[in-house]
């Protein structure tokens, strides 16, 4: 047995229950599953509100759901019934020093409130995601529009939305961090706790951490839209001869010197500084001269294909990258191929062979789990209720017949 095998996955032995929907909470729980935690997702019979969310296959199976629930166990219960609620409570509060952890973004009241659950397990850790800090509802798209970024994106002050659910993604990673922090505290003190996280607070913290609020307080200005120019340094996009686009950035002085050398335009670029009375050896100077720099560089890119640009800039020290749509990224970028150990192939029930990622973290001692498929709804209902709660087969059969438990495609043996 190797040292890696002896160590086990980073979170091996940790059990987490998830009752959630949409992106942030499922992503947070999946992040922990990809590090080796046992994650049991509990859904109502028939699935939660995200069970058929787009994109879907031509048969109606959600690729979105399959992507955000990789490596989890699925239990499906009638959560409107007292029996279903009681079973869910027992799963959440089942014994084990590395168990008793719940992630949810659903209203945590009644049977699923912290007060109720902690009476059954006093060291319970429960993380609850809300829209706003006062508990009111919000989703990524309503948080994003109020956060300033759509106004500062694009060439003018017309707001530009983007398809990346940035605050959901950031919140998902905060969820994983919050769970691990509380679990560490419990390990030291023996005490559980309720953790709250508001989606809008994730946005506000990020805006503050990146200096946007301080810019207003200190300088009395706020960030204006500037298209594809890079704020505070040089960066811009360029069209190629074959109608592709590339992004080129020179933040450090070394990157700037490499760009001048690779393009062969050092002499012309050096003329810009004296003409505009700016110091091109500084980030601020290059930012002030961005439009002039683009004007000099533009023909160099327009006269070359993407392949020629790639060849010319290979090992040059220039910081650049091609614009790609999702299909180009998947089919043409070797980072998305099976040559990258991030990816592996899994057989996803009802969908087929999928290329999916494992965690992007790599540990020197602890192996991380291989890429995993998502369960189908209720696939592990019987396994969890039998192995974790010790319910006998006769009782499980009765619960399935009454519609309290949805047993998954394999049914009850």
């Amino acid at each position: 047995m190797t040292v890696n095998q002896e160590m086990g996955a980073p979170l091996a032995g940790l059990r987490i229950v998830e009752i959630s929907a949409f992106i942030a909470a499922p992503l947070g729980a999946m992040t922990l599953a990809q590090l080796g935690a046992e994650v049991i997702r509990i859904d109502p019979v028939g699935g939660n509100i995200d069970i058929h969310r787009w994109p879907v296959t031509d048969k109606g199976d959600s690729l979105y759901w399959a992507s955000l629930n990789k490596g989890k166990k699925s239990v499906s219960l009638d959560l409107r019934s007292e029996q279903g609620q009681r079973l869910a409570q027992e799963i959440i509060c089942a014994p084990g020093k590395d168990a008793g952890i719940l992630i949810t973004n659903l209203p945590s009241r009644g049977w699923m409130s912290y007060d109720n659950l902690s009476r059954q397990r006093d060291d319970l850790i429960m993380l609850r995601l809300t829209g706003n800090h006062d508990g009111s509802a919000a989703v990524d798209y309503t948080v994003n529009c109020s956060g300033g970024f759509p106004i500062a994106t694009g060439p003018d002050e017309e707001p530009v939305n983007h398809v990346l659910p940035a605050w959901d993604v950031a919140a998902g990673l905060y969820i994983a961090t919050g769970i691990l922090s509380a679990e560490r505290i419990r390990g030291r003190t023996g005490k559980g706790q309720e953790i709250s996280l508001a989606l809008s607070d994730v946005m506000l913290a990020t805006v503050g951490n990146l200096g946007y609020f301080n810019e207003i307080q200190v300088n009395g200005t706020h960030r204006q839209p500037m298209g594809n120019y890079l704020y505070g340094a040089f960066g811009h996009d360029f069209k190629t001869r074959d109608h592709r686009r590339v992004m080129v950035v020179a933040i450090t002085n070394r990157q700037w010197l490499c760009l001048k050398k690779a393009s062969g335009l050092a002499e012309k670029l050096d003329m810009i500084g004296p003409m505009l009375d700016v110091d091109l050896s500084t980030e601020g100077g290059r930012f002030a001269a961005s439009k002039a720099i683009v004007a000099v560089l533009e023909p160099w890119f327009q006269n070359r294909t993407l392949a020629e640009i790639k060849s010319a800039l290979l090992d040059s020290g220039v910081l650049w990258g091609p614009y790609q749509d999702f299909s180009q990224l998947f089919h043409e970028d070797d980072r998305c191929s099976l040559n990258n150990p991030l990816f592996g192939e899994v057989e996803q029930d009802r969908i087929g062979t999928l290329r999916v990622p494992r965690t992007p973290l790599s540990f020197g001692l602890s192996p991380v789990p291989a890429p995993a498929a998502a369960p189908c709804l209720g696939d592990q209902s019987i396994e969890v209720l039998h192995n974790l709660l010790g319910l006998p087969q006769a009782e499980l059969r009765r619960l399935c017949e009454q519609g309290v438990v949805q047993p998954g495609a394999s049914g009850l043996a």
Side-chain angles (χ1 to χ4, degrees), residues 145-343:
C145 69
S146 66
F149 289 102
I151 298 295
T153 301
D156 51 45
E157 292 191 357
E158 290 293 323
V160 177
N161 289 335
H162 55 76
V163 298
L164 173 68
W167 310 123
D168 277 336
V169 172
L173 300 179
Y174 269 114
I175 286 169
T177 303
I179 289 294
L180 296 178
S181 299
E183 204 270 335
R184 181 170 168 78
I185 293 169
R186 187 174 69 177
R188 294 198 305 265
T189 67
K191 297 183 181 298
Q193 59 184 304
E194 183 178 18
I195 311 161
S196 61
L197 176 67
L199 190 65
S200 62
D201 281 350
V202 172
M203 176 272 289
L204 293 169
T206 303
V207 175
N209 291 338
L210 294 178
Y212 290 99
F213 290 147
N214 294 342
E215 185 178 7
I216 297 166
Q217 289 179 296
V218 176
N219 296 338
T221 60
H222 67 270
R223 196 67 52 85
Q224 299 294 321
M226 57 182 63
N228 287 338
Y229 286 98
L230 175 65
Y231 178 78
F234 175 72
H236 200 260
D237 66 311
F238 295 92
K239 183 180 288 187
T240 70
R241 195 177 76 206
D242 51 349
H243 308 292
R244 295 289 297 273
R245 282 189 179 272
V246 299
M247 183 70 186
V248 179
V249 172
I251 299 174
T252 68
N253 204 39
R254 181 182 178 279
Q255 292 164 0
W256 172 242
L257 294 174
C258 289
L259 178 58
K260 291 198 299 181
K261 180 179 179 181
S263 65
L265 295 170
E267 185 175 343
K268 291 183 177 180
L269 290 168
D270 285 341
M271 296 171 61
I272 294 173
M275 290 174 57
L276 299 182
D277 194 23
V278 296
D279 183 359
L280 293 185
S281 68
T282 67
E283 293 177 38
R286 291 191 288 272
F287 175 64
S290 288
K291 290 185 178 179
I293 294 171
V294 168
V296 172
L297 290 174
E298 214 163 32
W300 189 90
F301 288 94
Q302 287 179 338
N303 291 330
R304 289 166 173 80
T305 65
L306 178 60
E308 290 168 340
I309 290 168
K310 183 176 182 179
S311 177
L313 299 184
L314 183 67
D315 298 325
S316 68
V318 175
L319 203 57
W320 78 284
Y323 283 84
Q324 301 178 137
D325 60 30
F326 294 124
S327 179
Q328 290 165 336
L329 174 63
F330 181 78
H331 289 294
E332 300 173 14
D333 196 320
D334 191 58
R335 294 172 300 177
C336 282
S337 75
L338 295 177
N339 294 327
N340 185 345
L342 174 69
F343 290 98

Side-chain angles (χ1 to χ4, degrees), residues 107-170:
S108 52
R109 53 179 178 258
W111 70 272
M112 208 170 73
S113 70
Y114 177 76
D115 287 344
N116 197 329
L117 291 169
S118 61
R119 281 195 290 270
Q120 301 179 50
R121 179 165 178 154
D122 60 9
D123 66 347
L124 177 76
I125 294 171
M126 177 175 175
L127 190 149
R128 183 169 63 96
L129 177 70
T130 63
N132 296 300
H133 73 273
D134 62 1
S136 57
V139 295
D140 187 283
Y141 310 100
T142 59
V143 169
N144 189 52
C145 69
S146 66
F149 289 102
I151 298 295
T153 301
D156 51 45
E157 292 191 357
E158 290 293 323
V160 177
N161 289 335
H162 55 76
V163 298
L164 173 68
W167 310 123
D168 277 336
V169 172

